Amino acid sequence: MSFYEGLLFYLLAATAVLPGVMILFSRDIVHAAFWLLASLAGVAGLYLYLGADFLGFTQVMIYIGGIMILIIFGLMVTHKQKISLSQLAQKRLLVPAVITGGIILTALLYVINKTTWKPTASEEMEPTSADIGYLLMSDYLLPFEIASIVLLVGLVGGVYIARRKEREA
Amino acid sequence: MLAATKQLDTKAFAEFVSGVGDSVAGFWPEIVLGITLCAVLLYDLVLSRERSKNTAYMAFGGTLLSLALVFMLPSEPRSLFSGMLALDSFSTFFKAVILIGTLVTVALTQLDKENIGARLGEYYGILLAAVLGMMLMASSTNMIMIYLAVELASLSSYVIVAHRRQSRIGSEASLKYAIYGSVASALMLYGISLLFGMTGSLSVMGLADLGIRMATDVGFGIAVGLVLAGLAYKMAAFPMHFWVPDVYQGAPTAVTAFLSVASKTAAFAILLRFMASLDPGSATGIKMADGGLFLDWTSILAVAAAVTMTLGNLAALFQTNIKRMLGYSSIAHAGYILMGVAALEVSDYAGFKAVAFYLLVYLFTNLGAFAVVIVVSNQVKSEEIEAYKGLGTRMWLPALLLTIFLFSLIGMPPTAGFTGKFLLFRAAIDKGLYWLAIMGGINTAVSVYYYMRILKFMYLEDSAEKTPYPAPCLLGKVLTVGLALPVLLLFFLGAAAGWTKNLSLLG
Amino acid sequence: MDVLDRPEGFLMVAAVLFVIGVVGFILRRNLIVLFMCVELMLNAVNLTLMAVARYVGASMEGQIMVFLVMAVAAAETAVGLAVVIAIYRKRATVDVDDMTVMNG
């Protein structure tokens, strides 16, 4: 582990976390969406850093290419120009939110640092897509098929709910 | 189990293909359901030229076929699809319960006058997808499979809750259900990933060894707690019960009925499988600091049960909308059933059988109550409890049947609710959870008040109008009477509890 | 400090992301921003999953799981946003505080 690799980790971590913080504070909702985009890109970088090449690119395609477009589309449909600061955040919930967040963070950090994670030999970093395809068609065949039904429901359900009127026969 | 290899090994692949063939033999009910759901969606999209009932018949037929196939499943317990699913009498029982609930739900949808003239193709297709998800929930033994099954059931439920598109409360109910539901599933997934890191395995069975080894580990406790929180959302149990009243009120009544029985049954099936692999009888749990407080899973579940039933019952006292009231009553019942889960002892399965039997009873009882609600609102056009005034004389049959269902919800003889509650209480007492049994007793007494209030409205108060309503349609009569019969019969059969006697888990 | 040999670094980044999601979910009032916060939480969980998967030597399984979770998340967002748009059509608002037709 060289100094630069360590530095890269901290850079990627900052890319994931700092834009996340900005989502909490940004006044313009569209800006918040772009901060989320940056944060997701940071996570994609962390995947690559972990040697999960397939996942890193999937993250870019599904999240940044798909889900974010959907969200920005939703924002554009529902966005109104005049937004006062009071409409952005519920001030009265600030204290409960910080307390909840603090408790969860403490608990999670405690778990992370106290747990003895099941150790194993470290793996070589190699391209993984072929093996993943093979596993998806063998051991993980059923989850793969079920995921396709989940997507079908998402597709049909989304159209069904958002459709303007009862369809005429 | 195949290992990932660089090159396709033809021999291993041939073995794998024959393995899939074996798995498919135990997977026919789900396959039939999947084919039916695609057929319904395609039929509605391509062939349907007018608003016909054909999609309802298709959905009903497919579910019936699937139910028949469930009864024909091979009885020998085994694992399907490389350890993704378990085929055992436990999952078969719960699949049957869910499918019976679905048959009634399809009929209830046709019964509801609000749906007359609506095209229901997508609704039925997505309803069947929810059922598929719930059946997978009942048999999953791998945590990725549990997550996918829960998500399939949840996503489909969000869609069908919003089915009444013209109504404001329908989409608001769906929104609340979806937005809290995605947080709940994120929590569950967090728990799953922590458990994965601790065990190195995604199999639920792998937890068994770990549960004992890490009996006192706080991290393990938190991870399991996160998974349980996600499941509690589907069960409508504390602390994830808050969505219930709004969703139950805003959803179409048939969907409310479906969620209150099928969703709950599937979630309890996972909970039982999950807790059985943790073996709560063997004093596993969370240890707070050294030599300090020790919380075992039995106590944690018992406290959750007590809080759930108390919250549900107290809030139900003040309701004016009958669907909302039945929603709180459904929370309370999640509490009673959790009592049986807390009393789970892997060695003798006592709490196990009590839970399974109660879920079967609750299926008929609650579906029956909602069937009457639909029959009444078809005539009265209201879901307020006030509207039930004088119903005893104006609609004698539905009023009488509702009395039976409410008696069963209270747990009074001669209804199956009594037998079911008796088994749950006995399981708790056998386990030494006397305080929990007493809490359950007090709660039952409290619940008498709000169930009886409906009876008071129906029989003791007069409405201004006295003329009887026209008798319910044939479907309404058949459904309500057909659901009341098992509620009465299971009281007598329940002592034997034949169906739930031989349930066993794989692994 | 050897980041790759231990999962803790990644797990802590994920935990912070998750908590940001939770706090945003409680604080923000726009329904679509709530969905964005949920996405942030799911990403945190995915990162956790991938980090532990690599560490326990099940990198493939981890990637498959996260891949499936992403597919589900996409479907969930589609349905969620469809509901938000359906509500916006009826009431011309996407504010959390307006979602109070039912109470009691």
Side-chain angles (χ1 to χ4, degrees), chain A residues 104 107-108 110-112 114-119 126-128 130-132 134-135 137-144 146-147 149-154 156-169, chain B residues 1-6 8-9 16 20 27 37 41 44 49-51 81-82 84-85 118-119 122-123 126 129 132 136 144-145 148 152 155-156 159 162-163 165 190 194 197-200 202 214 218-219 222:
Chain A
I104 296 176
L108 288 178
Y110 181 84
V111 173
I112 289 166
K114 283 285 171 166
T115 305
T116 40
W117 302 100
K118 189 182 160 70
E126 321 177 301
T128 53
D131 288 349
I132 288 172
Y134 191 66
L135 271 177
M137 281 294 125
S138 55
D139 283 350
Y140 289 85
L141 181 67
L142 186 65
F144 187 66
I146 298 304
I149 297 184
V150 171
L151 286 172
L152 176 71
V153 168
V156 176
V159 175
Y160 179 61
I161 293 175
R163 194 161 56 209
R164 193 176 289 273
K165 269 191 225 139
E166 190 72 34
R167 185 165 43 130
E168 289 304 316
Chain B
M1 184 89 55
L2 280 180
T5 43
K6 283 282 157 262
L8 192 65
D9 179 344
F16 165 73
V20 168
F27 198 62
L37 91 86
L41 287 175
D44 184 67
R49 290 269 174 269
E50 74 278 357
R51 290 165 171 159
F81 293 105
S82 325
M84 290 294 154
L85 300 179
R119 280 183 67 163
E122 290 108 333
Y123 166 83
I126 292 169
L132 182 59
L136 290 168
I144 181 68
M145 210 47 231
L148 280 171
L152 179 56
L155 258 178
S156 321
V159 177
H163 163 59
R165 278 197 303 280
Y190 212 134
L194 292 176
M198 293 167 194
T199 60
L202 287 165
M214 299 178 108
V218 181
I222 290 177

Side-chain angles (χ1 to χ4, degrees), chain B residues 195 198 214-226 285-286 297 300:
Chain B
L195 286 178
M198 293 167 194
M214 299 178 108
T216 55
D217 195 285
V218 181
F220 183 69
I222 290 177
V224 171
L226 285 170
I286 310 173
W297 289 115
I300 293 172

Side-chain angles (χ1 to χ4, degrees), chain B residues 111 371 375 397 401 472-485:
Chain B
L111 182 64
V375 167
L397 181 64
L401 294 172
C473 62
L474 182 65
L475 180 62
K477 274 186 199 154
V478 170
L479 257 182
T480 46
V481 175
L483 287 166
L485 283 180

Side-chain angles (χ1 to χ4, degrees), chain B residues 47-59:
Chain B
L47 289 176
S48 174
R49 290 269 174 269
E50 74 278 357
R51 290 165 171 159
S52 71
K53 286 184 180 168
N54 287 355
T55 47
Y57 294 136
M58 287 169 78

Side-chain angles (χ1 to χ4, degrees), chain B residues 410-435:
Chain B
I410 299 172
M412 276 209 262
T415 57
F418 172 78
T419 325
K421 251 188 192 164
F422 175 77
L423 290 174
L424 285 175
F425 278 75
R426 203 183 61 187
I429 289 170
D430 285 350
K431 178 87 179 188
L433 293 165
Y434 299 110
W435 67 271

Side-chain angles (χ1 to χ4, degrees), chain B residues 195-206:
Chain B
L195 286 178
F196 185 33
M198 293 167 194
T199 60
S201 145
L202 287 165
S203 167
V204 173
M205 275 89 122

